[in-house]
Amino acid sequence: MKKTRYLAVLPLTAGAVMAFAAIGPAAAKDSYTIGVSNTVQGNGWREEMICAIKAQAIASGKVSKLNIAHRNTDAAGQLEDIRNLISAKVDAIVVNPVDPAGINAALQEATKAGIVVVAVDQAVTEPSAYVISNNQEEYAYLGAKWLFEQLGGKGNVVYMRGAAGAPADSDRDKGFKRALGEYPNIKVVHEVFTGWQQDQGKQQILDFIATGTPFNGIWTSGIDNVIVDALTESGAPLVPVVGADNAGFVGQLNSVKGLTGAAVTNPGSIGGAGVTLALKILGGEKPGAQTTLVKPELWENITAEGRAKLAKAADPSLSPEWPVSISIPDWTTYSKDQIIACKGPGE
C-alpha cells in the first residue's frame, strides 16, 4: 500500500517542503532527457500543465531535452506513447494517466529499464511509480458541500463531470458522492460527462436548459466560465455555480452581477512539480512518501474573506481556461513569463 503525504502548497498559502532522504551515492548527471505523456488536447488546464513542465525544465537547468507525447488518446494509445519514450531512452517520464491501471504494464517496463516514473494530476496503481497530484476527491467534496449548503440542503443540482474513466473524474465522483450522502434532500437531476471540453460542456448545459427541467445549482469539473456564459446568454437563472480556479471563472466571480459561486483550486502547475520531483529522484533523493497530494482551497464570492482571495488571485492576462495557480511554492521555480512563453529546452 502506498504511503500518502498531504501538502498545502498552493500559490497563495504558505508551503511545506516534502521530506527527502538520500538513497546512497547518486549517479547524477549534468543534464537529463525527460519524457512526457499526456492524453488530452484542447483543454486549458492540460495546456498549462504542459507549459509548466516546459518552464520548469528550463528553470531547473538540468534538463537538456523534453520528449513530449501530447495528443487525444485512450489507454492503448498512452501505452504506445510510453513505450516509445522507453525506446527513446529517456531518464524519466512524467505522465498524466488516462486510466489508473490501464497503463501499468508500460510503467513497469519503464521502471525495469531504470526510468523514473512520476504521475501528475492523477494517480496510478503501479507501485513503482511516484505520484504528485492535486487531491481530486477533496476538490470535489469541498465544492459540492459548499453548493449544497448554499441551497439550504435541498434542491436540484446539475452534476457536470470530467472524462469517463479518468482517475481524476473517478476520485472527484467519490468526493461528490461523499458530500451528497450528507445532504439526502439534494437531488441530481442531470449528470453528464463534459470530457473537460469547453464547447461540449457549454452545449450540454444549453441543451439541458432547453428541456425546462428546474434546477437550483451546478457543480462543474473545471468547465466553468462557459457554463456561466450559457446561463447569461440563455436568460436562465444565475443559480450558484462551483468550478475551478480558472482565470475566466475567477474573473466572473469577481464581476458578474448576481452570480454566486466558488472556485476550488486545482493548479495545472502540478506538471512543473512533477519535473522537480523526477529530478530530485534522479539526483539521488528519494521522497519520504510514494504519493504527495496538494490540498485544495475554496474561494467563495459570498464572504469578505473569499472575495479578497478571488480579487488577489484574479489574472486577466492569462487565458480564461488556465488556472490562476501558475506556480506551486517549493515545487516550481520558473517565472510567469517562462510559463506563458511555453518553451522548453531547445525550443
Side-chain angles (χ1 to χ4, degrees):
M1 182 176 180
K2 292 185 177 182
K3 294 181 179 178
T4 302
R5 179 164 180 161
Y6 295 85
L7 295 181
V9 287
L10 292 169
L12 301 181
T13 61
V17 181
M18 184 177 182
F20 283 81
I23 53 177
K29 301 192 298 186
D30 291 335
S31 63
Y32 299 95
T33 297
I34 293 181
V36 180
S37 174
N38 177 54
T39 61
V40 177
Q41 283 185 314
N43 171 276
W45 193 98
R46 294 291 185 106
E47 298 302 325
E48 181 180 287
M49 181 194 79
I50 292 294
C51 291
I53 287 171
K54 291 181 175 183
Q56 188 58 35
I58 286 182
S60 73
K62 297 179 181 179
V63 181
S64 57
K65 182 181 179 182
L66 289 173
N67 190 332
I68 299 177
H70 178 41
R71 60 173 175 145
N72 289 317
T73 191
D74 56 11
Q78 190 163 44
L79 277 167
E80 178 185 356
D81 290 344
I82 293 171
R83 284 171 173 148
N84 287 337
L85 294 172
I86 295 169
S87 296
K89 300 186 185 303
V90 299
D91 297 296
I93 296 174
V94 175
V95 54
N96 193 326
V98 69
D99 184 275
I103 61 171
N104 279 357
L107 301 185
Q108 291 168 8
E109 292 166 22
T111 300
K112 288 178 181 178
I115 297 170
V116 172
V117 176
V118 176
V120 296
D121 178 42
Q122 311 185 88
V124 291
T125 57
E126 167 52 39
S128 66
Y130 295 88
V131 177
I132 183 164
S133 172
N134 301 304
N135 190 331
Q136 303 295 354
E137 182 176 338
E138 192 67 13
Y139 166 93
Y141 177 77
L142 282 179
K145 182 178 177 64
W146 178 90
L147 178 62
F148 303 160
E149 287 177 349
Q150 303 317 304
L151 302 183
K154 61 181 179 180
N156 296 335
V157 171
V158 178
Y159 180 29
M160 305 193 73
R161 299 179 61 174
D169 180 79
S170 299
D171 287 344
R172 289 180 181 185
D173 187 55
K174 292 175 185 175
F176 184 90
K177 296 286 176 57
R178 177 156 57 98
L180 195 62
E182 298 174 6
Y183 295 85
N185 293 320
I186 293 290
K187 180 181 178 182
V188 175
V189 292
H190 188 55
E191 179 176 340
V192 65
F193 289 97
T194 66
W196 287 308
Q197 299 295 330
Q198 299 281 87
D199 291 345
Q200 181 172 314
K202 184 176 183 179
Q203 189 58 54
Q204 286 168 331
I205 194 63
L206 286 171
D207 290 344
F208 178 70
I209 291 170
T211 69
T213 304
F215 62 99
N216 308 106
I218 304 174
W219 182 95
T220 78
S221 189
I223 300 299
D224 35 45
N225 62 298
V226 294
I227 302 306
V228 176
D229 290 342
L231 292 176
T232 57
E233 292 167 13
S234 67
L238 274 178
V239 298
V241 177
V242 173
D245 58 334
N246 300 317
F249 185 55
V250 169
Q252 290 171 330
L253 291 175
N254 283 321
S255 64
V256 176
K257 187 176 180 180
L259 174 64
T260 297
V264 184
T265 56
N266 185 55
S269 44
I270 199 74
V275 171
T276 298
L277 179 55
L279 290 173
K280 284 182 177 292
I281 298 167
L282 287 168
E285 296 180 77
K286 184 178 180 179
Q290 200 79 4
T291 297
T292 303
L293 297 179
V294 176
K295 292 174 67 174
E297 285 190 347
L298 184 142
W299 304 332
E300 58 186 355
N301 69 352
I302 59 172
T303 65
E305 181 183 4
R307 287 192 294 271
K309 289 182 178 180
L310 286 164
K312 185 176 180 180
D315 191 342
S317 71
L318 296 176
S319 164
E321 297 178 31
W322 271 39
V324 295
S325 311
I326 59 173
S327 64
I328 302 178
D330 304 322
W331 287 102
T332 61
T333 57
Y334 50 75
S335 66
K336 179 179 177 180
D337 288 343
Q338 284 177 313
I339 188 173
I340 290 177
C342 201
K343 300 291 185 183
E347 291 188 70

